[in-house]
Structures are given as structure tokens and as C-alpha cells.
Amino acid sequence: MWKWILIAIVVIGTGFLTFPPKQKIKLGLDLKGGMHLVLKVETNDALNMETDHQILRIQDLFKEKIIKYSSIKKLGVSSFEIEGIDSSQEDEIKNILDQYFIDWDYSIFSNVVRLSMRLNIATQIRDQSVSQAIETIRNRVDEFGVAEPVIQRQGMGGERILVQLPGVSDPDRVKAIIKSTALLEWKLVVAGPAPSEEALLKDFGGVVPGDADVVRGDPRKGVEGFYLLKKVAAVTGKDIRNARRSTDEFNQPVVSFTLSSAAGKIFEKVTSQNIGKPLAIVLDNKVISAPTIQATIRDQGIITGRFSIEEVDDLSLVLRSGSLPASIKYLEERTVGPSLGIDSIRKGLTSYLIALVLVILFMIIYYKAAGVNAFVALIFNMIILLGVMSYFKATLTLPGIAGIILTVGMAVDANVLIFERIREDLRLGKTVRAAIASGFSKAFVTILDSNITTIIAAVFLFQFGTGPVKGFAVTLIIGIVASMFTAVFVSRNIFELIISKRRKIEKLSI
């Protein structure tokens, strides 16, 4: 009796978990429609920004300690050198570096100091930049109002991010917002604008000065030509505390921003020392505006350009959610329309029903009444499978439907093994009771071995696969475990229930 109570609890319980199926079964992107993206974080950008920050820091320290030098030049994304130091101040320089630059290795030769970021610190910054990028993308997606997004690192400690956004109606706009580095910088203008790079560098002998960069204007924002800008940014977008849409004196849409207190002090210092000079606003390495500093600015200002209202809203959104610590690159991109998803569901269900009906017909025709036993076990298997998927909030994908159809075949395969063993024992002259007991006993090890090997393969698929492949692995694993319960335990109890009602049974319909 306890066996039937257990079966009833499992089947009714999982059936209850499945109801109502439209709310309990979570559909994947390929069935619901949406975007699947794999992004790569260019972590060298994060090292570059950290190096810029440290250059700015050492300039302040040298100024404070009255240390003489001629120039500071970047050598790579994580190294720079200070040229023209006074050798008589070498001890003071060492004291500063030992006290404030413990994450950097340095060497001093002649009148040059060379600094390189330590390897473990560079690795840590790369790892943090990926984590920060995930958090920033999540903030942007949340502000955009996407329900149940999946945003996670792909693989162990890699630079790739998996983004899945179900039900997105404007994929191009979402992609632009996600990808936008929103790396906002304010840099002093050394020269420009000029119509060409050659014209820009004419007064510098055709060579870019070590402390400057050539940056192009953004024609879409009405800024043409080339600018020569200071390499180190005075303030960056990460110092922005808030950003929102506003209008300028010409009633044009602009982004109004507020800086943090610390950044406000730096901005005040830079603007007060450079009144009358142009200050470039650089967004994602393009000059979008280069106004002349008319007065000291502290912690509030506006970003102008030929923005549409939608562009201003998007720029405000990405600035509020934070700049990406590094640029990102799309490695993989798939978009599934809602209509294609509905079509996939319809075709998947049709395939499933056809497979189910054909398998049941075969079992009943070939194994007669015993085929009905397999049919009942199969129905229980499906109820348990969907119930467990609902409980664990597993996502049903198109390959997941294929996994369910495969489960139908594997569940019946277990019944076929058992029925054939029972037939063999009946032909050897065993009684029906003995043949049933022997058939289940002999087939169990074979069924167990087969299912364990399949589960091992499915576990690897789940571990190393993505999206729909994981969905296939999940349904296959749950389906196999459920089939062990229904094909072996439920099916045997059905046989035992039938023979227990007869005192003497000489023939079995199988």
C-alpha cells in the first residue's frame, strides 16, 4: 500500500507544481523571443584608465613636494616613465614611490623613473573590470525595464559576459545602450580643431607630443576635424553622481550632470586655472563638444551636442548606471522574434505529440496489455518531468523540447528491456509472478548503467553549454531520473496490482 501512496504523492504533487503550466513553465529565448548576446570586455582599457589616474596622482604629489621633472610619458597600458628628474632629489622620489605606489614596480636610471604595474594587481584590475561591467550592464538593463534578464560571466574567470534579454521589442536600441562604453572625459585642448591630422601637428614637427593624443570630432554631434588633447583626463564619467535630460538656452536637449564632491574640487581647480581656454568633452574617444571655459565650474554642468531627445535619454541612462570600466565587443548575437518563438512552440509540441502517439501505438500493438502499462508509466513520467522543471524554475527551450521527446523514447526503452526479459522467462516456463520479478531484476542493472552514462554526458553539456544547450541537458537529466522511477517502480507496481487481484494467473498479455 505504501508504494501506491508514494506514487500518488509524487504524481499528484508534481502535477500540482505544474499547474497552471503557462505561469509555471519558464520559456527560453528561442521560444519566447528576445536577444542572446556574448560580450568580451576589453580589460586593457581598465588598465589604461588606472595608469592615467596614477599619472595624475604623481603629478600632484611631485607638485606638492616640489619635485622637478620635464615630462611624463605612457609606455603602455600599465607602465609609464617620468623624464628629466633632478638626480639630487632621487631619495625624495623613492620615498614618494614607496609610500604611495606600493602596487607598482619602479626603477630609476640616469634622470628617468620607470613605473610598471605589478602583475597580480593587473590581474585583479582585469577581474574587477569584468565584474563591474556585469553590474553596469545589469543596471542599464534594469533601467530599460527588461523582465527576467540573464547577465552572468561565461566560464571561470574569463573576460566574456553572457546576456539574455527576453521579450525585447527594440533590440538595436538595447544593443546600443549596452555597448555604449559611456567613457566620458573632460580633457584640456592643446591644439585644434584642424581639418587633418597633418595640419593639426604642423606646429609640433608632425609628431604627437608625449603627453597628448589626437582625437577626432564626432560629425554626428556637429564637431568636425581633429583635436590635440591632453592625454590625462581632468575628470571622467565615473565621477558623475547624477545625470538627467535638460535644455540649454536655445531650448535644445542637453544632459545635465552633477559631479561627486571630490571630483567637483578637481573640476573647480582645472577650470579656474584655464579660464579662456577650450575644454573638450570626449565621449567614447570622440570629441562631442569643445566649449571655452568662461568661468570656474565646480560640480554641476551640462553636456551639449546635436542630441535628439532619445539620445539624451540614453546618454543620461548610461551615465547614471555608470560607465563601463572598459569597452566591450560583441562576439555572438542572436535575436529571435516573438512570432518565430510561437511557431517553434507549435512545431515542437506537434513533434512531441506525434512521437508520443506513435510510441504508445507501437507499445500497445507489440506488447498488448503490457503496452498499456508502459503508456501509464509514460504519462506519469511526463507529469513528473514538468513538475520538477517548474519546481526548480528550469527554462524550457527548443532543444529542451527535443530533450523531452528523447526522454519519451528512453523511458519506453526501459520498458522494452523489462518486457523482453519477462517474455524470455515466460518462454523458459517460469510462472507469471516469477517472470515479472525476474524480468525487472535482470533489466534493472542494464537500465541503470545506460541512464547513468547518459546523465554524465548531459552534466557535461550543462556545465559547458550555453542557453538552449543547457535547456536540453536539464530536461534530459530530469526526464531520465523520472523514467527510472516510472519505468522500474511504477510499472512493476502496476503488474503486481494486476496479478494480486487473481488467485491463479497462467497467462500474461505481453
Side-chain angles (χ1 to χ4, degrees):
M1 178 57 74
W2 69 268
K3 294 178 181 176
W4 282 106
I5 293 175
L6 176 63
I7 293 170
I9 290 173
V10 171
V11 175
I12 294 173
T14 50
F16 177 76
L17 289 174
T18 312
F19 188 81
K22 279 192 176 178
Q23 294 179 14
K24 296 293 181 69
I25 304 292
K26 212 167 96 180
L27 299 180
L29 285 185
D30 51 352
L31 297 180
K32 190 176 182 179
M35 293 178 66
H36 169 96
L37 304 168
V38 177
L39 317 173
K40 181 177 183 291
V41 181
E42 300 289 351
T43 54
N44 276 347
D45 292 350
L47 296 182
N48 203 30
M49 288 177 67
E50 176 62 19
T51 303
D52 280 351
H53 178 70
Q54 295 304 327
I55 289 174
L56 198 60
R57 188 183 185 200
I58 206 166
Q59 284 176 332
D60 285 344
L61 288 169
F62 276 22
K63 187 175 181 182
E64 184 182 327
K65 304 290 183 184
I66 317 177
I67 304 291
K68 297 175 183 174
Y69 66 97
S70 58
S71 64
I72 297 180
K73 187 169 69 177
K74 280 173 75 173
L75 302 176
V77 294
S78 59
S79 61
F80 63 95
E81 68 179 18
I82 308 163
E83 297 174 332
I85 63 168
D86 186 345
S87 55
S88 65
Q89 294 182 305
E90 187 173 319
D91 289 340
E92 292 176 68
I93 293 172
K94 283 182 177 177
N95 287 336
I96 290 174
L97 297 178
D98 290 337
Q99 185 176 355
Y100 297 101
F101 289 80
I102 57 175
D103 294 334
W104 293 71
D105 292 321
Y106 69 86
S107 59
I108 301 176
F109 54 94
S110 185
N111 62 342
V112 175
V113 182
R114 183 165 294 174
L115 290 96
S116 300
M117 192 182 297
R118 291 184 175 170
L119 188 59
N120 63 321
I121 300 300
T123 304
Q124 184 182 343
I125 290 174
R126 287 183 191 278
D127 183 67
Q128 286 176 345
S129 68
V130 177
S131 300
Q132 189 183 337
I134 291 173
E135 195 57 35
T136 302
I137 291 171
R138 181 172 287 116
N139 289 339
R140 292 179 183 180
V141 169
D142 287 346
E143 289 225 17
F144 204 76
V146 177
E148 299 181 2
V150 175
I151 303 163
Q152 60 190 36
R153 182 178 291 205
Q154 191 177 45
M156 300 292 289
E159 298 178 342
R160 297 184 176 193
I161 300 174
L162 171 70
V163 179
Q164 292 185 333
L165 308 173
V168 170
S169 59
D170 190 352
D172 289 338
R173 188 180 176 198
V174 173
K175 270 176 56 186
I177 289 175
I178 289 177
K179 190 179 180 182
S180 173
T181 309
L183 178 56
L184 188 66
E185 299 169 296
W186 282 265
K187 291 186 173 182
L188 288 167
V189 178
V190 179
S196 67
E197 200 166 334
E198 292 73 20
L200 180 70
L201 299 175
K202 188 177 177 182
D203 294 338
F204 301 89
V207 179
V208 180
D211 62 344
D213 280 327
V214 175
V215 181
R216 295 191 67 165
D218 188 349
R220 294 178 304 169
K221 301 293 180 287
V223 181
E224 303 283 352
F226 294 81
Y227 289 81
L228 188 63
L229 307 181
K230 282 286 186 185
K231 193 182 284 279
V232 178
V235 179
T236 66
K238 70 178 181 181
D239 300 311
I240 286 183
R241 197 172 60 191
N242 192 20
R244 60 182 174 79
R245 190 211 309 167
S246 184
T247 54
D248 61 8
E249 66 271 26
F250 305 108
N251 207 30
Q252 294 299 310
V254 297
V255 177
S256 171
F257 66 87
T258 305
L259 295 172
S260 65
S261 175
K265 289 178 182 175
I266 297 174
F267 207 43
E268 180 182 25
K269 181 179 171 185
V270 171
T271 53
S272 64
Q273 291 175 349
N274 294 279
I275 290 176
K277 297 178 182 177
L279 180 68
I281 302 173
V282 184
L283 180 64
D284 292 343
N285 209 31
K286 286 184 180 175
V287 177
I288 60 171
S289 180
T292 299
I293 301 171
Q294 303 289 350
T296 300
I297 305 171
R298 185 171 167 72
D299 58 354
Q300 291 188 332
I302 59 171
I303 302 170
T304 59
R306 288 185 183 175
F307 295 119
S308 65
I309 290 178
E310 188 177 84
E311 286 174 331
V312 166
D313 286 340
D314 289 350
L315 181 57
S316 302
L317 186 155
V318 296
L319 291 177
R320 279 198 307 273
S321 59
S323 301
L324 285 170
S327 60
I328 57 175
K329 186 167 71 176
Y330 286 113
L331 298 181
E332 185 181 337
E333 175 190 340
R334 289 200 306 271
T335 304
V336 180
S339 58
L340 186 59
I342 292 171
D343 190 48
S344 298
I345 293 174
R346 188 171 58 248
K347 287 180 178 175
L349 288 177
T350 304
S351 304
Y352 166 73
L353 290 174
I354 291 173
L356 186 66
V357 169
L358 290 177
V359 167
I360 289 171
L361 282 176
F362 171 79
M363 293 299 288
I364 292 176
I365 292 171
Y366 195 71
Y367 291 107
K368 302 173 185 172
V372 178
N373 183 327
F375 166 67
V376 174
L378 195 57
I379 296 301
F380 283 6
N381 180 288
M382 290 299 104
I383 293 172
I384 295 170
L385 169 61
L386 294 177
V388 174
M389 285 185 67
S390 301
Y391 179 76
F392 286 108
K393 302 186 187 314
T395 302
L396 181 64
T397 61
L398 190 57
I401 294 177
I404 293 175
I405 296 172
L406 181 59
T407 299
V408 171
M410 295 194 68
V412 171
D413 184 55
N415 284 110
V416 168
L417 284 171
I418 294 167
F419 293 171
E420 288 300 321
R421 296 291 180 273
I422 294 174
R423 275 182 168 180
E424 287 175 4
D425 287 342
L426 287 174
R427 281 196 288 268
L428 291 173
K430 288 187 179 180
T431 64
V432 171
R433 292 178 194 277
I436 291 173
S438 173
F440 275 95
S441 177
K442 287 179 181 175
F444 179 75
V445 176
T446 307
I447 295 168
L448 185 64
D449 287 349
S450 169
N451 286 342
I452 286 177
T453 51
T454 308
I455 286 176
I456 290 172
V459 167
F460 277 94
L461 276 179
F462 180 81
Q463 180 64 35
F464 298 105
T466 60
V469 177
K470 281 193 173 186
F472 173 78
V474 168
T475 52
L476 188 59
I477 292 171
I478 298 173
I480 288 173
V481 174
S483 75
M484 285 290 291
F485 177 76
T486 55
V488 178
F489 188 74
V490 174
S491 186
R492 180 165 187 168
N493 277 282
I494 293 174
F495 274 124
E496 289 179 351
L497 180 67
I498 293 170
I499 61 178
S500 67
K501 293 186 177 299
R502 302 179 190 176
R503 289 187 178 179
K504 188 176 181 181
I505 181 166
E506 297 179 350
K507 192 176 179 183
L508 184 67
S509 178
I510 189 168

